[in-house]
């Protein structure tokens, strides 16, 4: 175990600087650190951000990145550029001992160093690791499915869908063709519906460039365990969304579960079987494992028990917000309600959390987090969407336009806003890109082939032995 150099860096005779550790580089982590570096006085505190990735992913843009409307690099925000006054540590937090005020972090250099993970000491902790996909013990799920929470998954899925169309176009096996053109999405929330809507739209467009694939040859299946989809936009727009998806030929199955996807066959609880090479799992999330690997109090669902001040309940010098935190919703009429784990709350909670942390350092009064949910927007493909804002329902093109306007206003940094706006403008003027860059996932494959470490083609058959001639 190596202790990280974490000097307080104070001049002799002056109080030591407070060491603030932010675990997580997502919405809450990045926005909290950004506000802290703006509000803290010079020499008042030092902020260290631990993140598994060197960027923050703006997840509402993942479906558009998968469809090719936005470049992947514009869906992410580089932490080092935005948080230029913070210390950035790229690594995974493995354990937090708040009683000792230490976090154990495995960095990219840990394995090569051979000296074990590093320990980072802190005075104030902001634990905002977000969430991970909530999987179930479905046979074949770990082997064949893909999630939709990261930019890598979104781009991998885009490449995969186009690759399946290439397979279907070139195969002579009808069964393989049908399996390649069948796409099963599990989960009727935002991630599942938006990803399916955008990718189906992209595949429908791409089909015009294949001589032997028509849009109706593809089969898209949405599987949802409850009796509705998109609960955030209300029952009326949820029903409209189902009707719109079915009008496009998408098979929406409610009150249905995925029971198995072994051997590339999706078996549903209603008895349906779909041979498929694509299963996308978006059936919920759960708190990041680091929450359970800490000595902080948790709720029955595994989230951090928090107060309306965004402090961890019953613990001093610990703060949390976002997906991993159970924050009471003081604007709700019912007692015991918690804020929904979504981006709308996370961004606003980060602002209050940072302000309260600074106020705590200065001995000032803390503020409770109170935000009444204003509504939701969802894209269902190009020029298609649903929106519920301040009780007003929007459908089709107006909802899609509202979706873009809202998220353009929310994506961090002016740089990203302008780049996304420019890409939208160009995509409206020119044709979609339908290129699969799946080889990016294995960049050394071509070099290994050239070096003779792998064979792409079988060896040629041996030359025939010439017949022996008889000698008289």
């Amino acid at each position: 175990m190596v202790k990280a150099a974490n000097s307080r860096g104070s001049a002799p005779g002056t109080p030591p600087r407070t060491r603030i550790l932010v675990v997580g580089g997502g919405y809450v982590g990045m926005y909290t650190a950004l506000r802290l570096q703006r509000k803290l006085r010079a020499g008042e505190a030092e902020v260290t951000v631990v993140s598994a990735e060197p960027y923050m992913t703006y997840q509402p843009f993942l479906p558009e990145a998968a469809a090719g409307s936005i470049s992947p690099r514009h869906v992410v925000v580089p932490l080092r550029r935005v948080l230029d006054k913070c210390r950035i540590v790229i690594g995974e937090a493995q354990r937090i001992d708040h009683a000792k005020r230490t976090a154990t972090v495995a960095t990219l250099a840990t394995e090569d160093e051979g000296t074990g993970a590093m320990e980072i000491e802190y005075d104030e902790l902001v634990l905002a690791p977000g969430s991970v996909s909530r999987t179930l013990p479905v046979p074949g799920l770990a082997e064949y499915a893909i999630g939709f929470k990261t930019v890598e998954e979104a781009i991998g899925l885009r490449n995969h869908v186009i690759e399946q169309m290439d397979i279907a176009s070139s195969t002579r096996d009808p069964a393989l063709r049908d399996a390649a053109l069948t796409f099963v999405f599990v989960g009727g929330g935002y991630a599942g519906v938006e990803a399916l809507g955008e990718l189906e739209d992209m595949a429908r467009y791409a089909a015009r460039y294949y001589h032997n694939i028509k849009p109706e040859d593809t089969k898209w299946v949405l599987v949802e365990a409850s009796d509705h989809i998109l609960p955030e936009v209300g029952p009326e727009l949820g029903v409209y969304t189902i009707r719109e998806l079915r009008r496009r030929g998408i098979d929406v199955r409610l009150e249905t579960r995925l029971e198995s996807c072994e051997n590339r066959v999706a078996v549903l609880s209603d008895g349906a079987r779909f041979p498929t090479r694509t299963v996308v799992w978006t059936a919920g999330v759960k708190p990041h494992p680091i929450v359970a690997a800490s000595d902080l109090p948790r709720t029955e669902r595994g989230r951090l028990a928090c107060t309306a001040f965004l402090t961890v309940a019953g613990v001093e010098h610990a703060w949390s917000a976002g997906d991993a935190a159970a924050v009471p919703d003081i604007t709700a009429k019912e007692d015991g309600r918690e804020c929904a784990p979504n981006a709308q709350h996370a961004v606003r909670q980060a602002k209050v959390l940072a302000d309260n942390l600074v106020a705590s350092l200065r001995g000032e009064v803390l503020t409770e987090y109170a935000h009444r949910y204003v509504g939701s927007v969802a894209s269902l493909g190009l020029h298609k969407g649903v929106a519920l804002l301040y009780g007003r329902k929007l459908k089709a093109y107006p909802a899609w336009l509202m979706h873009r306007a809202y998220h353009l206003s929310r994506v961090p940094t002016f740089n990203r806003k302008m780049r996304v706006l420019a890409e939208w403008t160009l995509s409206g003027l020119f044709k979609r890109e339908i290129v699969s860059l799946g080889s990016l996932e294995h960049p050394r494959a071509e070099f290994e082939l050239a070096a003779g470490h792998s064979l792409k083609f079988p060896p040629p058959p041996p030359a025939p032995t010439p017949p022996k001639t008889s000698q008289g």
Side-chain angles (χ1 to χ4, degrees):
M1 188 75 66
V2 177
K3 278 199 174 182
N6 200 1
S7 170
R8 298 194 176 198
S10 303
T14 61
R17 290 190 296 174
T18 301
R19 300 166 299 180
I20 301 173
L21 176 63
V22 180
V23 177
Y27 290 109
V28 175
M30 193 203 75
Y31 279 107
T32 298
L34 182 63
R35 193 164 182 85
L36 285 173
Q37 74 176 13
R38 289 173 178 171
K39 299 202 71 172
L40 289 168
R41 304 187 188 110
E44 187 174 11
E46 59 182 13
V47 180
T48 299
V49 179
V50 173
S51 174
E53 304 293 346
Y55 51 78
M56 186 276 273
T57 303
Y58 191 72
Q59 291 184 339
F61 280 160
L62 289 183
E64 291 204 52
S69 300
I70 303 176
S71 297
R73 65 184 184 276
H74 298 154
V75 178
V76 299
V77 180
L79 296 179
R80 295 189 189 279
R81 177 183 294 176
V82 175
L83 305 177
D84 56 328
K85 296 180 182 178
C86 301
R87 176 190 174 213
I88 308 297
V89 177
I90 305 304
E92 284 279 0
Q94 296 179 327
R95 186 171 62 256
I96 292 177
D97 189 340
H98 190 65
K100 296 181 179 179
R101 302 292 192 273
T102 60
T104 304
V105 179
T107 69
L108 297 177
T110 296
E111 184 176 348
D112 290 334
E113 288 174 342
T115 53
M118 65 190 300
E119 279 192 355
I120 299 179
E121 298 177 345
Y122 63 84
D123 301 306
E124 299 284 343
L125 172 69
V126 179
L127 186 52
S131 58
V132 297
S133 295
R134 176 176 59 86
T135 59
L136 298 176
V138 176
L141 187 68
E143 291 80 11
Y144 298 111
I146 184 174
F148 200 78
K149 276 188 63 64
T150 68
V151 67
E152 293 85 0
E153 288 175 328
I155 304 311
L157 185 56
R158 167 187 169 80
N159 291 332
H160 175 80
V161 169
I162 297 176
E163 185 179 87
Q164 297 312 302
M165 297 181 73
D166 290 335
I167 291 173
S169 176
S170 59
T171 184
R172 292 167 291 181
D173 184 345
L176 176 58
R177 173 187 167 91
D178 290 345
L181 294 179
T182 300
F183 307 94
V184 178
F185 286 68
V186 183
Y190 273 117
V193 173
E194 289 193 317
L196 185 150
E198 291 283 356
L199 285 167
E200 189 274 341
D201 208 36
M202 180 201 72
R204 180 179 295 274
Y205 175 86
R208 68 180 68 180
Y209 297 102
Y210 290 83
H211 71 281
N212 57 351
I213 296 180
K214 299 189 292 290
E216 53 268 27
D217 292 339
T218 62
K219 182 183 298 181
W220 299 80
V221 184
L222 178 63
V223 180
E224 168 55 40
S226 68
D227 60 355
H228 58 275
I229 64 173
L230 293 181
E232 295 87 353
V233 299
E236 181 181 332
L237 289 179
V239 171
Y240 166 81
T241 302
I242 294 173
R243 188 166 63 247
E244 169 67 15
L245 294 178
R246 286 175 173 165
R247 185 188 64 79
R248 290 160 59 177
I250 298 172
D251 186 353
V252 181
R253 294 179 177 245
L254 303 178
E255 298 183 279
T256 307
R257 299 179 307 280
L258 176 68
E259 294 195 337
S260 171
C261 57
E262 285 185 303
N263 302 318
R264 296 190 181 276
V265 177
V267 180
L268 307 185
S269 59
D270 61 2
R273 297 170 61 89
F274 295 99
T276 178
R277 297 168 60 87
T278 309
V279 175
V280 184
W281 182 267
T282 64
V285 296
K286 63 182 180 181
H288 192 282
I290 186 59
V291 174
S294 73
D295 55 352
L296 299 172
R298 304 188 301 276
T299 65
E300 293 180 355
R301 295 187 176 182
R303 300 167 74 190
L304 288 167
C306 293
T307 70
F309 298 104
L310 302 178
T311 59
V312 177
V315 179
E316 294 182 342
H317 309 293
W319 313 74
S320 187
D323 289 2
V327 178
D329 186 356
I330 63 176
T331 67
K333 296 179 181 178
E334 306 88 355
D335 292 335
R337 288 285 298 274
E338 297 175 357
C339 295
N342 56 37
Q344 186 177 143
H345 280 298
V347 173
R348 289 172 170 82
Q349 287 172 357
K351 177 182 177 181
V352 176
L353 192 159
D355 289 349
N356 279 348
L357 204 165
V358 173
S360 174
L361 296 179
R362 298 172 183 172
E364 299 171 354
V365 178
L366 306 188
T367 303
E368 287 187 314
Y369 172 75
H371 169 67
R372 189 176 296 278
Y373 196 57
V374 299
S376 300
V377 291
S379 170
L380 305 178
L382 191 62
H383 300 161
K384 298 176 280 290
V386 290
L388 176 64
L389 295 173
Y390 296 103
R392 185 177 180 182
K393 304 178 182 67
L394 298 175
K395 304 173 183 176
Y397 184 82
W400 173 83
L401 198 61
M402 181 61 69
H403 173 272
R404 285 201 160 182
Y406 174 78
H407 286 301
L408 185 65
S409 70
R410 295 300 173 184
V411 67
T413 78
F414 180 77
N415 179 303
R416 283 294 176 276
K417 295 180 195 295
M418 291 301 100
R419 289 180 181 273
V420 169
L421 183 59
E423 288 201 308
W424 281 342
T425 303
L426 291 174
S427 65
L429 297 174
F430 301 101
K431 296 179 179 180
R432 285 186 189 226
E433 294 292 344
I434 57 167
V435 176
S436 169
L437 296 177
S439 58
L440 290 176
E441 299 167 26
H442 307 284
R444 295 189 69 249
E446 193 68 24
F447 185 79
E448 289 177 353
L449 176 66
H453 288 178
S454 62
L455 290 175
K456 186 174 288 187
F457 303 103
T465 304
K468 294 183 179 180
T469 60
S470 59
Q471 298 180 357

